[in-house]
Amino acid sequence: MATTKWILDPTHSELQFKVKHLMITTVTGSFRNFTAELESEADDHFENAKARFSAEVSSVDTGNADRDNHLVTGDFFEVETHPTMSFESTSITRDGDDYKVSGDITIKGVTKPIVLDVEFGGIAVDPWGNTKAGFTLSGKLKRGDFGLTYNATLETGGVMLGEEVKILGELQFVKQA
């Protein structure tokens, strides 16, 4: 069976993460440089498709240069040894009008399974004749599972950084001829 290849439109896509700070607020970050692709068995649905993703960890952006510089060190991502993080799907199943995407995510050299909830936004043709597909994804992981264990205990007994990381993405793909 022929497959349809879809590549990420980076100008209309974003990938974010959110982590609790001081247990009272949430800090949001993103990766500026990432790629993704899909291979589907049909032009209009993505059940049983294959998805791949890769991000340059050095492109992390939290809106604070000091924090970003700390995130690429050995306390967190250790970018000199682990310059990329990646994801590869193991299954994509329909969940009503949307999808559950199971796969393996690799961060800092550690690979763990993850399930992402993916809302299918639909398919549209842009003014230049390109067929696009849109998705909103969300998921969670525990940063300690990937060796991202840096933290500090607060005087109040809490910790500076939450263990749970929320993953959010707005992804637009372009169908390839």
Side-chain angles (χ1 to χ4, degrees), residues 24-42:
I24 59 171
T25 59
T26 299
V27 171
T28 301
S30 64
F31 292 96
R32 291 184 314 270
N33 299 329
F34 64 98
T35 62
E37 63 181 44
L38 295 169
E39 285 185 19
S40 63
E41 294 175 354

Side-chain angles (χ1 to χ4, degrees), residues 16-145:
Q16 297 180 321
F17 60 91
K18 294 181 177 284
V19 177
K20 282 284 190 186
H21 182 256
L22 301 178
M23 311 319 291
I24 59 171
T25 59
T26 299
V27 171
T28 301
S30 64
F31 292 96
R32 291 184 314 270
N33 299 329
F34 64 98
T35 62
E37 63 181 44
L38 295 169
E39 285 185 19
S40 63
E41 294 175 354
D43 289 343
D44 60 351
H45 71 83
F46 297 88
E47 193 168 25
N48 300 319
K50 300 287 183 201
R52 285 176 289 289
F53 155 85
S54 179
E56 293 176 25
V57 179
S58 63
S59 74
V60 67
D61 182 1
T62 64
N64 179 287
D66 290 338
R67 180 173 43 227
D68 297 346
N69 289 335
H70 190 199
L71 286 172
V72 299
T73 70
D75 282 347
F76 290 96
F77 289 115
E78 198 174 351
V79 72
E80 287 186 21
T81 306
H82 307 286
T84 61
M85 64 175 55
S86 63
F87 170 83
E88 187 158 344
S89 67
T90 54
S91 73
I92 298 177
T93 56
R94 197 176 277 273
D95 183 23
D97 292 335
D98 300 320
Y99 298 93
K100 292 279 188 191
V101 178
S102 300
D104 295 319
I105 188 168
T106 301
I107 301 172
K108 201 174 175 180
V110 177
T111 303
K112 298 279 184 183
I114 190 170
V115 177
L116 302 170
D117 294 317
V118 179
E119 180 183 325
F120 180 47
I123 295 176
V125 177
D126 70 15
W128 300 272
N130 299 303
T131 301
K132 307 260 188 117
F135 303 90
T136 299
L137 70 84
S138 63
K140 297 177 185 177
L141 59 82
K142 292 183 179 179
R143 62 188 187 88
D145 289 349

